[in-house]
């Protein structure tokens, strides 16, 4: 994938934006870029980018996130290090933004500087299998709310339609028309269809813009 | 499988409640159950329902009392400290014999505690929480699909027995996402409620919903009558899952997220030749006493896996008349036991018996 200096990843709760953001950071790091990932979710204290801290450390990717993520303190705090996103123009950043209009407010603080520099992409992550974004109208409504709150308009779409660990290749294929409709309604390109790397062999050749991902480990299904 | 949706446990409760005919939700935000309220806030206005963020948990539970008096399916949800605040209302609902659906997505305690998952409100939900002699039917889901199906079940049993039915989940159950088949939910319509304050049509005396009795004789009588009804609940409403129990010499007792973790450990222990199984209570009250009693005929050790300092283990001991060995395998404060920890408890129990 081609990356701008700042990649902003937004989407409704459960769209899978954290996994997409992590994989975008991995890919940029592997291509030799100095990349940081910023978890700017101020809404949900569960299941955060911080859960992947060991993997990020192993790969040498800097994580910018609230000191309180994953702790018992439930406050919408942002780290002061977030200002390096717009100040430090020698580095690349992937931004993981909270899952709705309230979550996207955190982005609004940085939006004017990001737009002024004009070296960013703002990516909408969509998932047809989530209950509040099942069709074109409801999905577009949610995405417009995020744009309004965040102060930046989307520049592209990634179709990340999935049913969690149970996702089949057929589920992904069934979501392609959904992504096309949203692409038309918002006049934005679908730059990737992102899937668990386990589905790669089944889908390669069937989907032109396939993007395979390493997923965060789930504690619940962990084996002994 | 295209008709499945990927849902958080909290969202599954909210959507299932709407499917069950609930059009009235009253709540107050608290992690880790806030998505129930957030979902209702988005959905209720679109379907002609009521979403109201009350000024407090106490206000919300009393709004539930009001709507239930008027004969409608109604709910509130919260997390541990918020449920403590609702305790008074839960007692009044019981005293007035009103059906209600209440959700507790537990977090670590006591006090303000923390926001991470816990199961330490077992006593609060199965023993009371509010004052006076009363019971609630308490369901403990172990998957997002069960968060949905038990929500429907809870509305039905609440109406049937005119009492509060509670979902006792934990932060992980509320926050985790799994595919849900909403079409699989089968809903029985609410029964006639001749006791409700829905208007007399000038055909009968007006109904009064109240928990105050002026004469002690009367109050005693309704208490006895209520407990006769609870006996029917105990006879008819027990739910549980047995896993590899046929030849089990070691029985793991676990509900909710602890049962998910335990299953992994049991599979590994079985592969090592240890005869271990699990009883997963799905109703915590009524507790599956007879199933545990029967298990004690073969099992020498019961391992209670809990995210508490050991609460359900008391019911396991009572059900089996304290005849076996009992081990508590627990993490608390928002921590979750790992399969390795459960496996170690199982292996120790197996070794102990060989001595």
């Amino acid at each position: 994938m081609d990356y701008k200096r700042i990649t902003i990843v937004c989407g409704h709760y459960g769209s899978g934006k954290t996994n997409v953001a992590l994989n975008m950071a991995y890919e940029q790091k592997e291509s030799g870029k100095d990349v940081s990932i910023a978890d700017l979710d101020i809404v949900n204290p569960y299941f955060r980018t911080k859960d992947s801290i060991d993997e990020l450390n192993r790969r040498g990717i800097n994580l910018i996130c609230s000191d309180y993520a994953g702790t018992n303190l439930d406050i919408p705090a942002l780290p002061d290090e977030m200002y390096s996103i717009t100040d430090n123009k020698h580095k690349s950043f992937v931004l993981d933004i909270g899952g709705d209009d309230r979550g996207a407010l955190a982005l609004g603080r940085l939006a004017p500087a990001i737009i002024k520099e004009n070296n960013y992409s703002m990516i909408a992550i969509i998932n047809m299998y989530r209950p509040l974004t099942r069709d074109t109208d409801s999905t577009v409504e949610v995405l417009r709310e995020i744009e309004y709150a965040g102060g930046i308009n989307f520049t592209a779409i990634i179709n990340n339609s999935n049913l969690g660990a149970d996702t089949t290749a057929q589920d992904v294929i069934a979501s392609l028309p959904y992504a096309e409709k949203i692409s038309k309604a918002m006049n934005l390109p679908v730059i990737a269809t992102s899937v668990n790397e386990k589905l790669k062999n089944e889908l390669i050749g069937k989907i032109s813009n396939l993007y395979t991902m390493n997923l965060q480990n789930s504690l619940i299904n962990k084996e002994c | 499988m295209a008709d499945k949706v990927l849902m958080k446990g909290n969202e599954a409760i909210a959507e299932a409640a709407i499917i069950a005919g609930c059009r009235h939700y009253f709540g107050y935000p608290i992690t880790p159950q806030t998505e129930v309220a957030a979902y209702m806030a988005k959905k209720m206005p679109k379907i002609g329902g009521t979403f109201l963020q009350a000024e407090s948990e106490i206000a919300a539970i009393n709004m539930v009392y009001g709507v239930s008096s008027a004969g409608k399916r109604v709910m509130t949800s919260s997390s541990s400290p918020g449920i403590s605040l609702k305790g008074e209302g839960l007692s009044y609902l019981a005293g007035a014999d009103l059906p209600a659906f209440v959700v507790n997505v537990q977090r670590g305690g006591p006090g303000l505690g923390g926001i991470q998952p816990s199961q330490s409100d077992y006593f609060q939900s199965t023993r009371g929480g509010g004052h006076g002699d009363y019971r609630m039917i308490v369901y403990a889901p172990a998957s997002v699909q069960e968060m949905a199906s038990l929500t429907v079940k809870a509305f039905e049993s609440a109406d049937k027995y005119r009492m509060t039915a509670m979902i006792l989940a934990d932060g992980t159950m509320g926050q985790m996402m799994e595919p849900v088949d909403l079409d699989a939910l089968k809903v029985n319509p609410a029964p006639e409620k001749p006791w409700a304050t829905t208007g007399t049509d000038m055909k009968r005396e007006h109904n009064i919903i109240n928990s105050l009795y002026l004469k002690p004789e009367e109050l005693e009588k309704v208490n006895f009558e209520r407990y006769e009804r609870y006996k029917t609940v105990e006879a008819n409403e027990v739910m549980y899952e047995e896993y590899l129990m046929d030849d089990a010499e070691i029985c793991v007792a676990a509900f909710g997220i602890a049962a998910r973790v335990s299953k992994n450990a049991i599979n590994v222990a079985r592969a090592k030749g240890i005869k271990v199984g699990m009883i997963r209570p799905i109703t915590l009250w009524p507790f599956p006493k007879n199933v545990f009693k029967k298990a004690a005929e073969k099992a020498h050790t019961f391992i209670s896996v809990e995210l508490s300092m050991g609460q359900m283990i008391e019911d396991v001991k009572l059900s089996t008349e304290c005849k076996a060995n009992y081990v508590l395998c627990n993490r608390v404060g928002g921590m979750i036991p790992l399969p390795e920890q459960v496996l170690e408890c199982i292996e120790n129990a197996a070794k102990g018996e060989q001595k």
Side-chain angles (χ1 to χ4, degrees):
Chain A
M1 207 176 283
D2 294 328
Y3 292 98
K4 303 281 190 183
R5 193 179 74 78
I6 298 174
T7 308
I8 307 160
V9 182
C10 279
H12 204 231
Y13 294 113
S15 58
K17 60 191 171 313
T18 296
N19 271 312
V20 175
L22 282 167
N23 280 274
M24 287 176 153
Y26 299 164
E27 190 186 359
Q28 291 189 67
K29 184 71 190 181
E30 279 162 19
S31 73
K33 279 190 187 170
D34 185 2
V35 64
S36 294
I37 186 165
D39 177 352
L40 300 184
D41 191 339
I42 51 168
V43 177
N44 193 334
Y46 275 63
F47 302 128
R48 300 285 296 258
T49 317
K50 203 172 191 176
D51 298 343
S52 294
I53 185 78
D54 293 343
E55 182 65 14
L56 289 166
N57 284 341
R58 196 183 65 77
R59 291 172 181 262
I61 297 169
N62 179 42
L63 170 65
I64 298 171
C65 96
S66 161
D67 289 344
Y68 307 117
T71 74
N72 272 330
L73 191 57
D74 188 11
I75 59 167
L78 287 165
D80 54 358
E81 205 186 349
M82 72 184 265
Y83 291 106
S84 68
I85 296 166
T86 45
D87 290 350
N88 190 343
K89 299 204 169 50
H90 304 293
K91 289 184 79 169
S92 296
F93 293 87
V94 178
L95 276 50
D96 182 1
I97 306 297
D100 63 5
D101 48 338
R102 270 151 295 174
L105 276 177
L107 178 61
R109 178 67 187 86
L110 297 172
I114 291 174
I115 292 169
K116 192 176 168 201
E117 184 197 352
N118 196 21
N119 190 2
Y120 70 93
S121 54
M122 166 90 170
I123 297 172
I125 310 298
I126 58 173
N127 181 358
M128 177 177 93
Y129 297 104
R130 291 283 294 144
L132 295 179
T133 56
R134 297 222 69 189
D135 54 30
T136 313
D137 287 353
S138 58
T139 309
V140 171
E141 183 186 329
V142 163
L143 294 177
R144 293 290 185 220
E145 284 171 4
I146 291 172
E147 283 182 330
Y148 183 72
I152 302 183
N153 289 342
F154 286 108
T155 60
I157 293 168
I158 289 182
N159 176 19
N160 189 51
S161 292
N162 75 89
L163 281 163
D166 294 6
T167 314
T168 64
Q170 191 48 47
D171 293 330
V172 178
I173 290 166
S175 74
L176 298 177
Y178 160 82
E180 267 317 302
K181 281 182 201 159
I182 291 161
S183 168
K184 278 209 180 98
M186 297 195 66
N187 196 23
L188 293 171
V190 181
I191 55 166
T193 303
S194 49
V195 300
N196 186 340
E197 62 185 359
K198 286 177 188 162
L199 295 173
K200 185 179 179 178
N201 288 339
E202 284 181 77
L203 288 169
I204 208 151
K206 289 179 184 166
I207 295 174
S208 56
N209 57 8
L210 199 65
Y211 182 77
T212 56
M213 299 187 295
N214 259 313
L215 301 186
Q216 284 200 97
N217 286 327
S218 154
L219 171 72
I220 294 139
N221 297 316
K222 189 176 174 291
E223 304 289 331
C224 288
Chain B
M1 288 291 121
D3 52 347
K4 282 198 175 183
V5 283
L6 183 67
M7 298 187 103
K8 277 194 176 201
N10 287 336
E11 296 168 340
I13 285 175
E15 184 61 38
I18 290 169
I19 290 170
C22 174
R23 291 294 178 274
H24 304 278
Y25 173 91
F26 306 99
Y28 189 84
I30 179 170
T31 306
Q33 68 78 49
T34 301
E35 292 82 4
V36 180
Y39 196 93
M40 289 302 198
K42 272 235 185 291
K43 266 273 174 98
M44 281 299 194
K46 291 181 179 168
I47 56 172
T50 306
F51 164 83
L52 198 150
Q53 181 174 323
E55 69 270 34
S56 71
E57 287 85 350
I58 299 168
I61 192 75
N62 283 294
M63 290 170 188
V64 169
Y65 184 105
V67 171
S68 182
S69 300
K72 298 291 184 190
R73 283 188 167 168
V74 56
M75 71 175 287
T76 184
S77 62
S78 191
S79 179
S80 309
I83 297 292
S84 293
L85 285 167
K86 291 181 197 291
E88 180 194 64
L90 292 172
S91 172
Y92 277 61
L93 284 162
D97 295 309
L98 287 170
F101 176 51
V102 177
V103 178
N104 181 1
V105 184
Q106 299 164 94
R107 52 188 262 174
L112 198 49
I115 59 172
Q116 301 295 335
S118 165
Q119 296 181 326
S120 51
D121 302 345
Y122 181 94
F123 283 156
Q124 186 193 43
S125 57
T126 61
R127 299 293 191 277
H131 58 279
D133 283 314
Y134 78 96
R135 291 290 194 180
M136 299 187 292
I137 305 178
V138 182
Y139 296 99
S143 68
V144 178
Q145 183 72 40
E146 274 192 353
M147 291 284 256
S149 61
L150 292 175
T151 291
V152 173
K153 179 92 186 150
F155 273 106
E156 290 174 353
S157 49
D159 275 344
K160 189 172 175 186
Y161 300 103
R162 289 181 62 181
M163 60 193 288
T164 294
M166 174 179 272
I167 291 253
L168 189 72
D170 65 79
T172 325
M173 277 294 136
Q175 295 294 326
M176 67 192 254
M177 283 203 251
E178 286 181 323
V180 180
D181 182 0
L182 294 169
D183 296 336
L185 302 180
K186 298 282 172 272
V187 182
N188 295 312
E192 291 289 309
K193 296 179 178 175
W195 47 264
T197 58
T198 46
T200 64
D201 283 334
M202 299 299 177
K203 285 173 189 161
R204 59 161 167 78
E205 280 292 298
H206 61 273
N207 289 328
I208 296 172
I209 306 286
N210 189 16
S211 66
L212 172 68
Y213 291 86
L214 295 181
K215 294 179 185 163
E217 296 85 351
E218 277 179 34
L219 181 55
E220 183 188 49
K221 186 164 163 277
V222 292
N223 268 286
F224 275 123
E225 283 169 0
R226 194 170 294 128
Y227 269 69
E228 282 303 310
R229 195 152 25 99
Y230 290 164
K231 275 186 197 165
T232 322
V233 177
E234 287 188 275
N236 297 336
E237 299 299 327
V238 171
M239 291 173 73
Y240 58 90
E241 179 198 355
E242 282 186 290
Y243 185 65
L244 306 177
M245 279 303 296
D246 281 350
D247 61 346
E249 293 167 1
I250 298 167
C251 172
V252 172
F255 65 95
I257 187 65
R260 295 278 289 253
V261 174
S262 297
K263 221 173 220 180
N264 288 341
I266 289 166
N267 290 339
V268 177
R270 277 277 171 182
K272 293 183 178 184
I274 301 172
K275 288 182 179 172
V276 57
M278 174 168 68
I279 300 173
R280 172 171 77 90
I282 299 174
T283 50
L284 303 180
W285 194 90
F287 193 73
K289 288 181 202 166
N290 294 334
V291 188
F292 277 100
K293 194 174 177 185
K294 185 163 160 279
E297 290 168 11
K298 277 191 191 138
H300 54 72
T301 303
F302 287 78
I303 302 170
S304 197
V305 183
E306 303 184 51
L307 278 68
S308 77
M309 289 307 292
Q311 300 191 11
M312 180 177 68
I313 196 170
E314 293 197 359
D315 279 333
V316 176
K317 285 180 183 173
L318 282 171
S319 304
T320 54
E321 294 162 357
C322 298
K323 284 175 182 166
N325 303 312
Y326 301 91
V327 177
L328 174 65
C329 177
N330 66 334
R331 293 297 297 273
V332 296
M335 302 303 291
I336 300 175
L338 292 176
E340 289 90 333
Q341 186 188 351
V342 181
L343 182 62
E344 195 185 331
C345 287
I346 294 170
E347 286 177 329
N348 286 343
K351 275 182 220 150
E353 193 61 18
Q354 282 164 8
K355 275 181 210 162

